Amino acid sequence: MAIPTRSARERWRWAGLFAAAGALGFGTQIYLLREVLVALGGDEAAVGLGLGAWLLGIALGAGVARALPWPSARALAAGGLGLLALAGWPAMIAARLGRGWLGVPAGELPSLGAALLLALGIFVLPGALVGGTFVALAAAATAAGDRDGQRAIGALYVVEALGSLAAGLLVSLVLVPLRPPLAGMALLAALALALGLPAAWGGLVAGRWALPLVFLGALGAALAPPTARLEEQLQRARFGALVRELPLLDWADTPYQSIAIGGGEVRALFASGQYVASFPDPEADEARAHELMALAERPRRVLALGGVETGLLRFCLRHGPERLDLVLLDRRAFEVVRRHLGPEDARALADPRVRLRFEDPRRFLARAGEPYDLVLLLAPDPTTLLAARTTTLEFHRLVRARLGPRGVFVSSFSAGANAQSGPTGALGAALYRTLVEAFPVVRAAPGPPGLFVAGEDPDAVSLDPERLAARYRSRGIESEVFVAELFPVLFPPERVATLARELEAGARELGPSRDGRPRALLRALVRRQELGGSGGAALLAWGAAHPGWLALATLGPSALAVLIVAARRRAAARLAAVHATLATGA
């Protein structure tokens, strides 16, 4: 890697400086995106707003830095690097307290305007520091080199990318699991600044004494006890802004999500700002477990992809399965939940028939193994790309390959209380259309929440109340809250038939949800935005209904800019750079 400087020592100092800028920028972005995801209720729209505000900040900062004279580049580079190391903390505090500042009521989704203001308040300043610092570094490196500015800027992005990659791995796999966010962000700042200190001491940039002081301050903040106390206070403040009058009992950050548990005798579980479940609720759990297990003719081998560990499991075991595999992606989140389970649920997890597996469900299903009689997927709406991975055609084909000839797959979905209409109907239709593409037989049970039941054999995949009642009675289960006579209430034939017609009608104009085009994700986001009373629901709904126009609107500004540059007969190299930058950004 040839950075245009006069000695090998200076080349390494420049490389360290560029890597420090990349690590600080990308590491800060990861931490703040995790925070805004919780503050805005945990969906992909929050990620989009955060990234949009971040890129806006970068553009503003780069524009300001570009307008400054080159002699100020050394000071601007050092100042931007030091301020970027400090900017993560106030941005994180703004993320945790911002809902209260904007007056968003506890328990409600913020409107589009409030969400946008919060994203701007969190991301614009750190983003501007990234943009300004990168421009200043490029100018300083060019001025210090052999008049080869293109090589200096190219080297900046190569080494910055390596620093970003290292920071991404460090934050996601080490700091997030092992250190609280405030301490982790401070430690990231200290480690990144350590890479840039030799350049400051060597006079390549300013800040010979200021950057070491910022480094020591960040290192002290990462290790000091007051940081832990501030972390706890901010965690409680954030949880109080999400849930009214519910004390925070436990929390953890994992590589996948932020987990919080609040309540008293009854716990409430939240994942990245979204409500997941309340437990213990033995009466509701028992009724639900008997309903689900009766959907399989003989549930000897059962696979549960989450959703049963907070109370359903012990009642599922009453149906006599020989083995129940429980596959969970997030081990750390499970351990937090496990600490708050009652003794009966803890004993169920220790039952020798239960096998716990902590891995990606898709990877588990892709491996060869004995077929299952029942596969349960009790997941919330696919409002994130991570959740949408279990609603695509590719995933359902993996499930089908692991089902026995008379096995059934059961998944939950948001069904309308009386009719499938609006965003709720569109989401159900998208999920139904994908299942129909993967399974020969698909049936739907009304909710809320609704159930899809799919498989190969139309005789085994049944919602007939009499047949389900006969299955339940044959197992000799004694229950004080559930009897076979409830099946006609749970699955009334006339409502089941109406729901099937509604789903079929809604699915006619849709294609299946695929890994490369997760249609269900966009439908779930529309439904979520409408429930929050957000003006973004109409925009998302338009994009879902007009994907071609959406692509044109996304790429149009880039194409227009390229045409303008071409019309002015700029150099071919500059035209190529503009096209690549704008198209990639779009």
Side-chain angles (χ1 to χ4, degrees):
M1 184 181 308
I3 298 175
T5 53
R6 295 184 175 85
S7 70
R9 178 180 296 181
E10 286 188 353
R11 285 199 297 270
W12 283 109
R13 286 175 174 173
W14 279 115
L17 192 62
F18 293 161
L24 269 179
F26 193 57
T28 301
Q29 182 194 88
I30 292 174
Y31 271 115
L32 296 183
L33 280 175
R34 292 173 62 90
E35 293 292 331
V36 81
L37 195 63
V38 178
L40 299 184
D43 65 26
E44 210 69 27
V47 177
L49 287 174
L51 287 174
W54 175 264
L55 292 173
L56 174 63
I58 289 177
L60 293 175
V64 171
R66 189 173 182 273
L68 296 176
W70 274 40
S72 63
R74 292 173 61 253
L76 181 60
L81 200 66
L83 290 174
L84 181 58
L86 299 173
W89 269 39
M92 185 176 287
I93 293 172
R96 296 188 180 180
L97 303 180
R99 286 176 62 100
W101 295 343
L102 295 174
V104 179
E108 295 186 13
L109 292 172
S111 66
L112 180 62
L116 181 58
L117 284 175
L118 186 58
L120 292 172
I122 295 169
F123 284 99
V124 166
L125 177 58
L129 291 171
V130 170
T133 301
F134 281 8
V135 169
L137 283 173
T142 302
D146 299 326
R147 294 178 298 175
D148 192 345
Q150 290 184 1
R151 293 180 65 200
I153 295 173
L156 164 65
Y157 280 102
V158 171
V159 184
E160 177 272 333
L162 294 176
S164 297
L165 175 62
L169 295 173
L170 176 68
V171 171
S172 300
L173 302 181
V174 180
L175 295 181
V176 166
L178 299 181
R179 301 294 297 167
L182 285 176
M185 186 175 286
L187 187 56
L188 167 72
L191 294 174
L193 285 175
L195 295 173
L197 290 181
W201 290 332
L204 302 185
V205 294
R208 182 181 181 88
W209 301 111
L211 285 183
L213 289 176
V214 177
F215 163 78
L216 292 175
L219 187 61
L223 304 176
T227 300
R229 291 195 292 270
L230 179 60
E231 178 73 50
E232 180 176 353
Q233 292 172 358
L234 289 174
Q235 289 281 359
R236 295 189 184 282
R238 179 172 71 178
F239 190 75
L242 291 172
V243 190
R244 184 181 293 108
E245 298 178 356
L246 198 65
L248 179 62
L249 302 176
D250 205 349
W251 68 88
D253 277 78
T254 81
Y256 304 100
Q257 58 195 326
S258 296
I259 292 293
I261 296 179
E265 293 184 3
V266 177
R267 270 52 167 170
L269 172 63
F270 289 80
S272 293
Q274 288 195 51
Y275 170 79
V276 176
S278 294
F279 63 94
D281 190 355
E283 293 186 0
D285 288 337
E286 182 173 0
R288 188 65 163 172
H290 295 324
E291 174 189 357
L292 293 170
M293 296 298 284
L295 294 171
E297 194 173 45
R298 296 183 188 87
R300 290 168 297 185
R301 290 175 51 82
V302 179
L303 171 63
L305 303 175
V308 303
E309 62 275 13
T310 56
L312 293 176
L313 180 61
R314 59 181 167 125
F315 300 109
C316 291
L317 293 174
R318 291 189 186 180
H319 289 253
E322 297 171 3
R323 197 172 90 194
L324 192 152
D325 292 338
L326 176 55
V327 177
L328 301 170
L329 178 65
D330 196 339
R331 179 191 291 267
R332 184 178 172 120
F334 171 77
E335 294 300 336
V336 173
V337 172
R338 192 172 197 167
R339 292 198 292 263
H340 295 271
L341 293 176
E344 298 89 349
D345 295 317
R347 282 195 295 269
L349 287 167
D351 190 293
R353 294 173 291 173
V354 177
R355 301 196 316 177
L356 278 169
R357 294 289 184 270
F358 296 100
E359 62 177 303
D360 179 9
R362 292 180 59 142
R363 182 178 297 173
F364 179 88
L365 288 166
R367 291 202 304 267
E370 296 181 50
Y372 289 100
D373 304 301
L374 175 63
V375 176
L376 295 173
L377 176 63
L378 307 179
D381 290 344
T383 55
T384 65
L385 283 170
L386 180 63
R389 294 176 70 246
T390 58
T391 62
T392 64
L393 180 60
E394 291 83 353
F395 171 79
H396 290 140
R397 285 173 174 166
L398 291 174
V399 173
R400 182 180 176 182
R402 294 298 300 272
L403 283 178
R406 296 181 67 81
V408 297
F409 169 55
V410 180
S411 61
S412 58
F413 75 104
S414 293
N418 299 308
Q420 289 291 103
S421 61
T424 300
L427 172 59
L431 295 171
Y432 177 78
R433 176 68 178 84
T434 307
L435 280 165
V436 168
E437 189 81 10
F439 292 93
V441 184
V442 180
R443 309 198 193 281
L451 294 174
F452 286 121
V453 187
E456 304 239 7
D457 192 321
D459 186 57
V461 182
S462 177
L463 292 178
D464 178 66
E466 292 185 5
R467 182 172 297 183
L468 298 179
R471 291 177 185 176
Y472 180 75
R473 291 192 188 99
S474 69
R475 296 170 193 174
I477 298 171
E478 295 184 3
S479 172
E480 296 182 357
V481 302
F482 193 88
V483 293
E485 288 72 20
L486 285 173
F487 283 106
V489 179
L490 293 170
F491 307 118
E494 68 284 354
R495 182 67 188 102
V496 169
T498 301
L499 178 60
R501 289 193 296 269
E502 292 170 341
L503 290 170
E504 289 169 1
R508 288 193 189 107
E509 304 300 323
L510 299 175
S513 188
R514 296 179 178 272
D515 286 349
R517 191 172 180 182
R519 299 171 188 267
L521 167 68
L522 198 53
R523 305 290 179 176
L525 289 177
V526 173
R527 179 179 184 274
R528 184 170 168 81
Q529 291 295 315
E530 185 174 80
L531 289 176
S534 172
L539 179 61
L540 285 172
W542 177 86
H546 304 87
W549 286 105
L550 179 63
L552 181 62
T554 304
L555 296 174
S558 170
L560 180 61
V562 170
L563 290 174
I564 293 173
V565 173
R568 295 182 178 180
R569 299 181 180 180
R570 299 289 178 88
R574 186 167 185 178
L575 173 62
V578 169
H579 175 260
T581 302
L582 293 176
T584 303

